[in-house]
Amino acid sequence: MKEFGLGKKEKLCSVVAIEQLFGAGGAEFTALAYPLRIVARRNARRSSDAQVAFLISIPKKRLRHAVERVLMRRRVRESYRLLRNSYPLAEGERVDAAFVYVADRVKSYRSVARAMERLLRALQKHYAPLSPDESPK
């Protein structure tokens, strides 16, 4: 059962890392799968051994009531917790990721899980190791 738990080392808490992620020129990868958007970048200097350190942002501008923000944060966290092992990154890869809620209403868990699946698949594809016949873009 431990494989489905979310530990402290998987949460992105560093103020410096968050500023680098959202700062000018910080994000290497961004994708939108309504109602979520992902912003990600490599962070080889991170000391934790988790492949992905993540944070969840539910803007007050989108959902005005705290009860709704908490509900959506729980839905996003749960969908990430259940799906993250299905889309592993390349060995040794360290990525900081932020999941930002972009809808202006509360969405069902099913729609959040589908969006999370598409985003994690895109993240895995973006950070997949290059085969010898592929050249970097």
Side-chain angles (χ1 to χ4, degrees), residues 124-137:
Q124 180 188 36
K125 185 177 177 184
H126 186 299
Y127 289 109
L130 294 175
S131 63
D133 56 325
E134 290 182 47
S135 62
K137 295 177 184 175

Side-chain angles (χ1 to χ4, degrees), residues 12-27 41 55 96:
L12 185 60
C13 300
S14 168
V15 174
V16 173
I18 293 168
E19 286 176 356
Q20 289 175 346
L21 183 62
F22 287 107
R41 71 183 295 271
L55 71 88
D96 293 341

Side-chain angles (χ1 to χ4, degrees), residues 90-121:
E91 188 66 34
E93 196 72 65
R94 299 284 182 261
V95 176
D96 293 341
F99 296 100
V100 182
Y101 190 74
V102 296
D104 57 355
R105 294 193 181 119
V106 173
K107 295 292 182 183
S108 68
Y109 174 78
R110 178 178 281 167
S111 66
V112 171
R114 273 187 264 154
M116 182 64 71
E117 194 170 357
R118 288 192 304 264
L119 291 176
L120 290 176
R121 190 178 308 122

Side-chain angles (χ1 to χ4, degrees), residues 63-80:
L63 295 176
R64 300 297 294 170
H65 298 98
V67 174
E68 294 174 345
R69 289 194 303 275
V70 170
L71 174 66
M72 291 315 302
R73 188 173 296 113
R74 286 179 177 173
R75 287 180 180 173
V76 172
R77 188 184 314 121
E78 181 70 3
S79 64
Y80 176 75

Side-chain angles (χ1 to χ4, degrees), residues 17-94:
I18 293 168
E19 286 176 356
Q20 289 175 346
L21 183 62
F22 287 107
E28 295 176 347
F29 173 73
T30 182
L32 176 69
Y34 189 81
L36 296 173
R37 182 170 66 104
I38 188 171
V39 178
R41 71 183 295 271
R42 280 187 178 92
N43 188 356
R45 296 184 343 185
R46 185 165 29 92
S47 60
S48 83
D49 57 347
Q51 280 193 319
V52 178
F54 76 101
L55 71 88
I56 298 168
S57 174
I58 313 292
K60 191 174 186 178
K61 184 177 182 180
R62 301 281 183 187
L63 295 176
R64 300 297 294 170
H65 298 98
V67 174
E68 294 174 345
R69 289 194 303 275
V70 170
L71 174 66
M72 291 315 302
R73 188 173 296 113
R74 286 179 177 173
R75 287 180 180 173
V76 172
R77 188 184 314 121
E78 181 70 3
S79 64
Y80 176 75
R81 183 183 71 83
L82 293 174
L83 292 170
R84 73 174 191 264
N85 293 329
S86 301
Y87 301 98
L89 300 179
E91 188 66 34
E93 196 72 65
R94 299 284 182 261

